[in-house]
Amino acid sequence: MKYLYRIYQLLVAVPVTVLMTILTAIEVGLGTTFGNGHFWGYYPGRWWARVITRAFLLPVKVEGREHLEPNQSYVFVANHQGAFDIFLIYGFLGRNFKWMMKYQLNKIPFVGYACRKSHQIMVDKRGVGKVRQTYEDARHILETGNCSVVVFPEGARSFTGHMGLFKKGAFALADELQLPVVPLTINGSFDVMPRMKDWHFATWHPLSLTIHQPVYPIGQGTQNVQATMSQAYDSVMSALEPQYQGYVENPDQ
């Protein structure tokens, strides 16, 4: 079955991924030129992610959508297991959001173009001014319209499937704007394609996304940031599959 799945990827899944990426980038570019950036920055990407996930024949399970309130902006924070985290969250979270993502992703053909045109938030740490601009962009999005942000607070994909440490940036942003943080647990992405096997064949494995209860601010300032980060970390960890439970240092952090 492994080799049949690989042949299927070569003949179907990979061509679908390439075609959908090109078409989605063009659609986003045209749409954001003439229309609503919040719409074009989310819905084409959502269907791009759904089609690619289905093309790889990966079953998806989502739990916890009932925890989210309509018309409420959130700061979503998730563990970062692998490349398919993007498809899982974009396609199946079910909320309009912007990514907070590494500015280096600008260099990916078509994907970088679509991200720039749809005003995804590029995290650029090459100086205090650029970091400040990142937060200004995120603040503007969260304060205008029904839109949220998604952050991988580990800052890098796992080498082991286990979680590393959370960085406080997303939690400081939520604290400043007094927004609830929603922890997300991703399972299966590391088994499908860990970072050590980028550009290799995917391995068939179910994907799951657990949406935990929002963590609301208990005040404002350092104490709230630390409390929110700790509670979010524990929530994400609690729903990981047993073999990936426990902290493992990530040398890329």
Side-chain angles (χ1 to χ4, degrees):
M1 287 299 292
K2 178 177 74 173
Y3 294 105
L4 284 176
Y5 186 48
R6 288 184 174 182
I7 293 170
Y8 168 81
Q9 289 179 55
L10 285 173
L11 297 179
V12 179
V14 172
V16 166
T17 298
V18 173
L19 180 61
M20 281 298 299
T21 300
I22 294 171
L23 292 177
T24 302
I26 294 171
E27 183 181 8
V28 170
L30 292 174
T32 52
T33 300
F34 299 106
N36 185 325
H38 280 322
F39 177 90
W40 293 105
Y42 171 65
Y43 287 99
R46 179 186 183 189
W47 286 108
W48 166 79
R50 280 177 170 258
V51 169
I52 291 173
T53 304
R54 299 310 188 196
F56 278 89
L57 307 178
L58 302 174
V60 173
K61 180 181 180 181
V62 181
E63 296 179 315
R65 284 204 185 101
E66 69 276 6
H67 296 146
L68 304 180
E69 298 290 338
N71 303 316
Q72 170 68 56
S73 294
Y74 295 105
V75 176
F76 291 100
V77 295
N79 61 312
H80 205 359
Q81 280 201 337
F84 276 76
D85 298 346
I86 305 299
F87 304 124
L88 181 59
I89 292 178
Y90 221 160
F92 300 94
L93 178 60
R95 301 288 291 209
N96 196 327
F97 67 86
K98 301 290 187 185
W99 293 100
M100 289 188 71
M101 57 203 303
K102 292 181 177 180
Y103 78 94
Q104 292 93 333
L105 296 177
N106 266 318
K107 300 176 182 179
I108 299 177
F110 297 103
V111 172
Y113 169 78
C115 289
R116 291 192 301 273
K117 293 293 289 185
S118 59
H119 305 294
Q120 305 300 327
I121 304 164
M122 298 297 174
V123 180
D124 191 340
K125 298 181 180 179
R126 295 175 296 175
V128 175
K130 293 185 181 296
V131 172
R132 186 180 299 113
Q133 185 59 51
T134 296
Y135 280 91
E136 288 298 326
D137 292 343
R139 184 183 299 108
H140 175 73
I141 286 167
L142 288 165
E143 289 178 336
T144 58
N146 180 23
C147 195
S148 299
V149 297
V150 172
V151 187
F152 294 115
E154 293 169 273
R157 286 176 292 163
S158 172
F159 284 102
T160 62
H162 293 259
M163 286 169 58
L165 298 174
F166 276 4
K167 299 179 181 179
K168 69 177 183 179
F171 306 96
L173 176 66
D175 174 72
E176 182 174 341
L177 298 178
Q178 289 292 280
L179 289 174
V181 171
V182 178
L184 305 173
T185 300
I186 292 169
N187 280 300
S189 180
F190 184 80
D191 301 279
V192 173
M193 187 176 288
R195 65 183 298 179
M196 306 83 73
K197 294 186 177 181
D198 282 346
W199 308 108
H200 286 63
F201 286 105
T203 300
W204 187 92
H205 194 281
L207 297 170
S208 71
L209 178 67
T210 302
I211 304 169
H212 297 275
Q213 292 187 358
V215 181
Y216 288 91
I218 57 172
Q220 192 164 21
T222 303
Q223 184 177 359
N224 179 57
V225 171
Q226 292 296 331
T228 303
M229 183 165 62
S230 177
Q231 187 173 343
Y233 190 93
D234 290 344
S235 293
V236 176
M237 181 73 77
S238 71
L240 282 173
E241 293 175 348
Q243 66 267 35
Y244 299 125
Q245 288 279 340
Y247 162 75
V248 173
E249 182 181 4
N250 185 343
D252 197 28
Q253 284 197 307

